[in-house]
Amino acid sequence: MTDKPIHLPERLALLADLNAAQYLTEGLLTGKEDVPAIGLNKIAEPLPGDEARGAVMPVRDLVDDALHAFRDGRPTAADAWLAPRLHATLRLSRREAADRRLWNYLALGVAPDYVVWRHLSEPKKDGETPKVAADRFRGPAYKQAFARLWWAAELFRNGSDYAPVVTVCSNQDMLNSSLRLDVIDHRPTAQAMVRLIERGTVRTGRDVNALAAAINASAATLMYDVVAPDAERDGRPLLEWIEAAESAPAVPRRALPEGPNEEKAPEASVAALVGRFAGLFADAPVRGKVTTDEGSGDRP
């Protein structure tokens, strides 16, 4: 496994896809080689400005704490801890977070060791060497190691409350499926899905996949933002939260941090969708699920 990068610059940078690709070697993906940090930083583009949120060490310290806290457990358990804290440390706008170059740099220039630890495949019986998929370093937002956590925190936080993010990131099927849904940008939809998990209506990975498919299919004929309107978004709390990064302390490690002081998704809208989604799920085909009719006879 790769070690912590030795040559860490003071500030984050941007690494273009084409430049990132040359570092995705077999040695890196199998955890046997380090990223040549000096060469990488020579071709990375410095992050504009001198804001405190562009500093490398708060992110690196966060990664180190995650590695220490979850080293002896399942790597997947780190997602629920790291996602809200990464979001609250970086304090990005969605426009900034849509720039893949930042995530490329985080994965290759700041914490390649974490990506290998978190996403190295399980050993296979055929003797094939465990390997990290390249899109965990350089890939779409729903796959890339750090982008997926940031976007999960952004889409599932309820105003300043990150508790729903912990629920989502504690369920790998929910995390992997939901970020691919266009409708998840609608906050009442996101919160309604969380409620169904919290209530135990949706339990297994197969349940989650069936629910996501049913919600996505229903969205083709039903406009969720009409039947369950969201509050009008005010951009000022986010801007104030980003500006406050200049004097903000490090995010807490035990308690959850606080996000932008935005209004929460309307409770009436969330409740309306919880009922509607529960109905969709009740009729959704869940792989391996035995229905009442099927259970009354002999199974093949």
Side-chain angles (χ1 to χ4, degrees):
M1 183 179 295
T2 59
D3 295 321
K4 174 180 175 178
I6 298 175
H7 301 283
L8 282 175
E10 293 184 1
R11 295 186 57 74
L12 298 172
L14 305 173
L15 185 65
D17 276 351
L18 188 62
N19 290 331
Q22 65 181 288
Y23 292 99
L24 300 179
T25 63
E26 188 72 10
L28 173 66
L29 299 180
T30 54
K32 297 177 180 178
E33 295 179 0
D34 296 327
V35 175
I38 295 178
L40 181 144
N41 282 304
K42 285 181 179 180
I43 61 174
E45 179 183 343
L47 199 67
D50 58 357
E51 296 171 286
R53 63 194 178 112
V56 163
M57 288 315 300
V59 179
R60 182 64 227 189
D61 288 344
L62 196 62
V63 167
D64 285 338
D65 288 345
L67 286 169
H68 175 75
F70 298 95
R71 178 72 75 177
D72 296 328
R74 292 183 62 83
T76 53
D79 289 351
W81 185 89
L82 185 56
R85 292 169 176 83
L86 179 69
H87 186 276
T89 296
L90 290 175
R91 299 204 182 198
L92 302 171
S93 67
R94 289 192 179 189
R95 181 177 181 179
E96 290 170 326
D99 190 341
R100 286 168 50 122
R101 297 177 299 168
L102 175 63
W103 306 116
N104 291 343
Y105 186 77
L106 274 176
L108 287 164
V110 178
D113 56 326
Y114 182 86
V115 180
V116 171
W117 171 78
R118 170 60 185 83
H119 292 287
L120 192 68
S121 62
E122 295 290 337
K124 298 181 180 180
K125 294 181 179 180
D126 59 8
E128 184 178 344
T129 302
K131 189 176 180 179
V132 180
D135 55 13
R136 297 299 188 181
F137 285 96
R138 185 198 69 158
Y142 59 83
K143 292 283 286 185
Q144 205 272 352
F146 294 112
R148 66 195 285 268
L149 298 181
W150 190 94
W151 280 104
E154 173 65 12
L155 294 170
F156 284 99
R157 65 180 174 85
N158 197 7
S160 63
D161 183 10
Y162 284 115
V165 179
V166 176
T167 298
V168 169
C169 293
S170 297
N171 186 312
Q172 288 298 305
D173 290 282
M174 180 66 169
L175 177 57
N176 294 332
S177 297
S178 62
L179 294 184
R180 299 170 185 260
L181 302 177
D182 291 336
V183 295
I184 211 64
D185 191 41
H186 180 238
R187 296 195 305 160
T189 293
Q191 295 307 313
M193 293 181 73
V194 172
R195 295 280 177 87
L196 290 177
I197 294 176
E198 292 174 341
R199 294 181 180 184
T201 304
V202 176
R203 299 174 183 273
T204 68
R206 291 179 177 180
D207 287 349
V208 168
N209 292 331
L211 175 65
I215 290 174
N216 207 39
S218 178
T221 57
L222 181 66
M223 298 181 67
Y224 295 142
D225 56 346
V226 174
V227 299
D230 195 358
E232 185 174 347
R233 303 293 293 272
D234 181 356
R236 286 175 296 180
L238 175 62
L239 293 176
E240 292 170 356
W241 184 69
I242 290 175
E243 291 171 355
E246 293 303 309
S247 57
V251 296
R253 267 43 175 179
R254 294 181 181 271
L256 284 175
E258 292 188 1
N261 189 29
E262 297 175 335
E263 185 176 350
K264 291 187 175 182
E267 183 57 32
S269 294
V270 176
L273 289 182
V274 167
R276 186 176 294 273
F277 292 168
L280 289 175
F281 176 68
D283 296 330
V286 179
R287 189 162 60 90
K289 178 181 178 182
V290 181
T291 65
T292 302
D293 291 340
E294 290 173 333
S296 63
D298 294 330
R299 297 189 67 190

